[in-house]
Amino acid sequence: MQRKIRWGIVGLGKIAQHFANDLKLVEDAVLAGVASRSEAKAKEFAHKNGAAHYFANYETLFKSDEVDVVYIATPHTFHKNIAINAMKSGKHVLCEKPMGINRLEVEELLKVAEENKVFLMEALWSRFNPTIKKALGLVENGTIGKLKYINADFGFYAMDRPLESRLFNLDLAGGTLLDIGIYPVFLSYLMMGKPKDIAAFSNFNEHGTEVQTSVIFKYDGGQAILNSSFANETRMNAELAGTDGSIFLHPRWHESQGYTIKTSEGTKEVNLPTEGKGYTYEIVEVHECIKKGQLESNLWSHQNSLDLISLLDAIRNKTGVRFPFES
């Protein structure tokens, strides 16, 4: 019987818990170890989720022979250094999005992955969502004709949260764009590629944190209108409109459980419920790549991560989003 792939988790917050829950649904996966800067938190998380080992610091987990691949679920600003340390210890890495704060960070991560011959993937779980994969196939095979328009939003009200929270803390790269705006930008890039031109506008709170951003991507013969916000709740819909029909991803579209397609043949609703929360699909992709000896995914490649962060950089340059730690 083939040995299970042994996972370690770093950063034990809400997303890590969702990931740990879904890890149990993947037959050849096992949660071997978890790490936190708080030993008590690591111990509690390990006991709750059946991990054999817990560590009071990340470095001890990276040096452990009990872990094959590390899932990094810390705030954005810690991704680069933690991922680099893990890879230099010979661990494969699945790093939460965005993999880096800017293109320079992502380039450095890819260089370290190449030097150490380890697998590295940005944990953009929506890329592996069954509904989004199906929608991409329908676009690519021409079912709705030539894609001309995308509309995608991601917004929830967070203005009542403390200014020092992760969402607003500039030292943690707070703001909507890297946290949730990445999803609409990803969808447009996935479906239509890199735009020819970008228009973007942001609103900021009194401390200079971006709290709402609207973007227009201009393509040859098409456009995408994208929005992210902490200032208001949005419908969380996504529409892909072509010359011969439209696809509507059901809310919340980034973790959609189905879609509606409208063509000349009529309207059809399709339900595609995810297994668990939906992290199972990216876990399976990591496993398949590791078993094949691949150092990157064909579905979400290193180049895809570079392209995505380049688009986010371009939007930030248009809107003036800056973080204190950036030179």
Side-chain angles (χ1 to χ4, degrees), residues 3 5-10 32-33 55 58-72 82-95 109 112-121 286 290 295:
R3 180 176 67 83
I5 292 178
R6 302 168 302 173
W7 284 81
I9 298 179
V10 169
F55 306 94
Y58 304 153
E59 289 71 24
T60 309
L61 184 149
F62 300 155
K63 290 179 171 60
S64 171
D65 293 332
E66 301 298 321
V67 172
D68 302 311
V69 55
V70 176
Y71 171 62
I72 298 171
I82 293 174
I84 285 174
N85 289 337
M87 290 187 290
K88 285 185 175 180
S89 297
K91 303 304 182 192
H92 303 299
V93 169
L94 175 66
C95 183
L109 284 163
V112 173
E114 182 180 7
E115 289 172 348
N116 290 274
K117 301 295 186 289
V118 291
F119 175 85
L120 172 65
M121 188 176 85
V286 172
I290 290 175
L295 300 184

Side-chain angles (χ1 to χ4, degrees), residues 132-198:
I132 291 177
K133 287 180 71 176
K134 179 63 176 179
L136 177 61
L138 292 170
V139 168
E140 290 180 335
N141 69 20
T143 299
I144 60 169
K146 184 171 177 56
L147 187 59
K148 292 288 189 179
Y149 173 72
I150 293 176
N151 187 299
D153 64 352
F154 196 137
F156 59 90
Y157 186 77
M159 302 305 287
D160 53 352
R161 301 194 189 188
L163 290 173
E164 63 271 16
S165 73
R166 178 186 64 82
L167 296 182
F168 296 110
N169 190 334
L170 287 172
D171 291 324
L172 297 177
T176 76
L177 188 60
L178 297 186
D179 192 59
I180 58 177
I182 189 172
Y183 286 110
V185 172
F186 148 77
L187 185 68
S188 186
Y189 166 71
L190 180 69
M191 297 293 172
M192 297 183 77
K194 295 174 73 173
K196 301 294 182 183
D197 199 5
I198 298 172

Side-chain angles (χ1 to χ4, degrees), residues 198-268:
I198 298 172
F201 303 91
S202 293
N203 291 332
F204 298 81
N205 68 11
E206 63 272 25
H207 294 278
T209 303
E210 169 260 328
V211 296
Q212 186 178 43
T213 292
S214 293
V215 180
I216 299 176
F217 281 175
K218 186 181 188 309
Y219 295 92
D220 286 338
Q223 292 184 358
I225 298 178
L226 316 169
N227 177 265
S228 57
S229 181
F230 292 153
N232 59 284
E233 186 173 341
T234 66
R235 293 177 301 169
M236 291 289 294
N237 288 339
E239 177 183 0
L240 313 171
T243 53
D244 298 322
S246 295
I247 300 168
F248 301 88
L249 306 182
H250 297 166
R252 299 177 352 150
W253 69 263
H254 74 297
E255 55 182 351
S256 188
Q257 307 292 298
Y259 65 94
T260 298
I261 183 168
K262 294 182 179 181
T263 65
S264 59
E265 298 179 359
T267 300
K268 180 181 179 183

